[in-house]
Amino acid sequence: MAITSRAPAPGGGASAPPSGAPAPSPGGPPGRRTAWSEGVQRLREAATTEPGRLRIIGAVLAALIMLFGMVSVWEVAERATAADDVVGRSQPLSADAASIYRSLADADTTSSSGFLLGAQEPREVRERYEKDIANASRLLVSAAANTGGSEESRRQITLLSEQLPRYTGLIEQARATNRQGLPLGGAYLRYANEQMTTQLLPAAQRLYEAETRRLYTDDDDARAWPVGSLGLGLLALAALVWAQRRNYRHTNRVFNHGLVAATAASAVVLLWLSVGHTVARSSLSEARTDGQESMKVLNDARIASLQARASENLTLIARGAVLAEDKKSDKYDVDFANNMKQLDAGLATALRLADDEDGRSPVSRAVDGVEQWKQRHAAAREADLKGDYEAALSQVVGDEQHKESSGAAFDTVDASLDRAVAHEQREFTRAARDGIGALGGLVTGSAVLVVAGATAALLGIGRRLSEYR
């Protein structure tokens, strides 16, 4: 019998499979499936039956409610922390930076007043100067320990810590030389004042601005709307309403107790979140506008008054030795006029921002004190320009004949502004603490309610599933 041979496939490859044999799977051995594909297949099969669809709806509802709760807890906790930082860290650091500036400016003013009095410098003047320097040093140490990661603040604190001992050394040299009756003491004092105005006070101003920026950043973080929580809350409520409407269409039952409880829990959390944050935002905004902004204006006014007083004293100390840019006017007298303009503008703004009588009253007294100060300064300058230095000196620093001196008017202004700042500080703290209180309990309450809501949603869906068993 003849033997017939099968011709090889073209190209020398394997022969084609016999007719009717199953084709190999392109992704691997025949019939092999991945866990993912099996899961997708089961999900598709479940979605074709009502119990399967109910299980999917229940899982989605529970997950959505839990996600709403987790985001709410996270966002509220962040805002509560920022609000705590405003009251407990940022604002105190900003206030301390302003106090450093005031202490330095007051020390410069007091040292010039003591220099004018010479050997008759009263003990209280010397003690006030030493208290200012000690206060500035203490606050610098505190700021260095609490300023955190602010590179700008650390740089200014380092500069202040280095320059302050140099300034006090110059003041001691000026005081010692002045007691010996040597005219070189005035030069030392002017050099100390120049160091104060060109290095120390600008550094203190930059420190204050850096800490105030951080305060405003924390305040903005505390007042930011929790957009993620509100959006997820509305989405969860919409999903729950849809699920209940679907349940009604399939069963003609108006209410599913589990879904109703889940809807109520989610609505309470959303309402609590909205109202609590609105109240907190309002209180923190009040603290910022009625407290912090007023304190900033008052601090600037107080600094202007201190600089004006130092310029007034230096006018008598320099006695025309330092000229302004026009080479004709006395530099310190020009500085005094500019400082008084800043003081007038600051007091006008402070009066406008004051929202109660306790805030307006000390500012009004400061305004009256400034008017008296201007009048007495004008009289002192008139005497000085006529060559009567002793009369001018007594009208500036005061004596038995001139108790109503420009120095007394300055003390009135300074004390009034100090009371106004203290009042605004209390107002800021009260309003900010109200804002923190509005967020109190929201983290724990949200967590408990959303867990209860997710559980209720699962129980509600479970009740429907039980009807198919």
Side-chain angles (χ1 to χ4, degrees):
M1 183 174 66
I3 300 174
T4 62
S5 61
R6 184 181 299 272
S15 60
S19 175
S25 173
R32 184 173 180 180
R33 301 172 65 187
T34 64
W36 170 258
S37 61
E38 290 181 0
V40 171
Q41 182 63 28
R42 290 176 182 175
L43 192 62
R44 282 178 184 165
E45 292 173 357
T48 61
T49 65
E50 182 61 14
R53 284 191 288 268
L54 287 174
R55 290 188 182 94
I56 294 172
I57 291 172
V60 170
L61 288 177
L64 193 57
I65 294 172
M66 289 300 296
L67 181 61
F68 166 46
M70 287 187 292
V71 174
S72 297
V73 169
W74 173 59
E75 288 193 327
V76 172
E78 276 201 334
R79 280 147 185 78
T81 299
D84 283 333
D85 286 342
V86 167
V87 177
R89 187 196 65 176
S90 305
Q91 200 281 325
L93 282 174
S94 177
D96 284 351
S99 294
I100 290 172
Y101 195 113
R102 286 197 308 270
S103 295
L104 293 174
D106 190 65
D108 195 49
T109 299
T110 306
S111 63
S112 60
S113 298
F115 187 91
L116 285 174
L117 295 169
Q120 290 77 37
E121 179 183 9
R123 177 180 296 178
E124 58 268 19
V125 174
R126 175 68 176 175
E127 289 177 348
R128 178 170 176 171
Y129 166 81
E130 292 176 346
K131 182 180 178 181
D132 285 332
I133 296 299
N135 189 53
S137 300
R138 177 182 60 81
L139 290 175
L140 282 172
V141 172
S142 176
N146 298 305
T147 193
S150 174
E151 183 63 30
E152 174 67 14
S153 294
R154 287 199 301 269
R155 186 163 51 248
Q156 303 310 322
I157 291 170
T158 300
L159 177 59
L160 287 166
S161 300
E162 292 174 350
Q163 294 297 325
L164 186 56
R166 298 177 185 177
Y167 170 81
T168 56
L170 289 171
I171 291 297
E172 293 308 317
Q173 286 181 312
R175 179 177 281 111
T177 307
N178 186 45
R179 286 177 177 173
Q180 296 174 16
L182 300 175
L184 189 59
Y188 277 122
L189 188 68
R190 290 196 301 273
Y191 185 55
N193 173 263
E194 181 181 358
Q195 185 183 20
M196 176 65 76
T197 55
T198 60
Q199 296 187 47
L200 286 165
L201 290 182
Q205 178 68 26
R206 290 190 293 270
L207 175 63
Y208 173 66
E209 290 171 353
E211 295 300 337
T212 300
R213 282 195 300 271
R214 184 161 68 165
L215 167 61
Y216 286 157
T217 298
D218 288 340
D219 183 70
D220 289 340
D221 291 342
R223 294 188 303 120
W225 283 104
V227 179
S229 303
L230 296 175
L232 284 170
L234 292 174
L235 182 61
L237 283 177
L240 285 165
V241 170
W242 172 85
Q244 291 176 87
R245 185 169 181 272
R246 182 183 184 279
N247 181 68
Y248 172 72
R249 287 166 55 193
H250 283 73
T251 65
N252 285 328
R253 296 170 185 167
V254 178
F255 296 116
N256 178 291
H257 294 163
L259 294 179
V260 169
T263 304
S266 299
V268 169
V269 173
L270 184 62
L271 182 63
W272 191 357
L273 179 67
S274 302
V275 174
H277 188 76
T278 299
V279 174
R281 182 182 174 88
S282 176
S283 296
L284 289 169
S285 297
E286 179 186 352
R288 180 166 178 168
T289 56
D290 296 342
Q292 179 61 29
E293 293 296 336
S294 293
M295 279 191 289
K296 185 178 185 302
V297 170
L298 290 168
N299 282 325
D300 291 343
R302 194 175 182 190
I303 289 166
S305 71
L306 290 166
Q307 292 175 335
R309 180 58 178 169
S311 297
E312 183 178 41
N313 291 337
L314 287 167
T315 302
L316 290 178
I317 293 170
R319 305 186 74 173
V322 183
L323 298 179
E325 293 181 358
D326 61 6
K327 304 301 181 182
K328 296 179 181 179
S329 307
D330 185 289
K331 175 186 181 302
Y332 298 114
D333 194 41
V334 172
D335 290 343
F336 174 84
N338 292 333
N339 295 144
M340 294 303 280
K341 288 179 182 178
Q342 296 172 5
L343 177 57
D344 287 335
L347 291 177
T349 304
L351 274 176
R352 179 173 54 81
L353 292 176
D355 60 345
D356 57 12
E357 185 58 30
D358 290 338
R360 282 188 294 270
S361 179
V363 178
S364 297
R365 286 196 295 272
V367 170
D368 295 338
V370 168
E371 291 304 316
Q372 294 176 358
W373 188 0
K374 290 178 181 178
Q375 296 172 8
R376 295 168 188 176
H377 173 78
R381 282 297 294 157
E382 183 180 358
D384 189 29
L385 292 174
K386 289 180 178 179
D388 192 350
Y389 177 81
E390 294 300 326
L393 179 62
S394 63
Q395 291 181 40
V396 170
V397 300
D399 57 17
E400 293 183 358
Q401 294 181 350
H402 297 89
K403 293 182 179 180
E404 294 184 351
S405 62
S406 62
F410 161 75
D411 289 338
T412 298
V413 173
D414 189 61
S416 298
L417 290 176
D418 185 54
R419 285 192 291 272
V421 169
H423 170 73
E424 297 301 337
Q425 177 68 64
R426 291 191 296 271
E427 290 294 296
F428 172 88
T429 303
R430 177 195 57 77
R433 291 196 182 282
D434 288 345
I436 295 175
L439 299 175
L442 187 52
V443 171
T444 303
S446 298
V448 171
L449 285 172
V450 296
V451 170
T455 303
L458 290 175
L459 290 175
I461 296 297
R463 179 67 181 272
R464 283 279 294 120
L465 284 171
S466 66
E467 298 172 0
Y468 289 88
R469 297 192 183 104

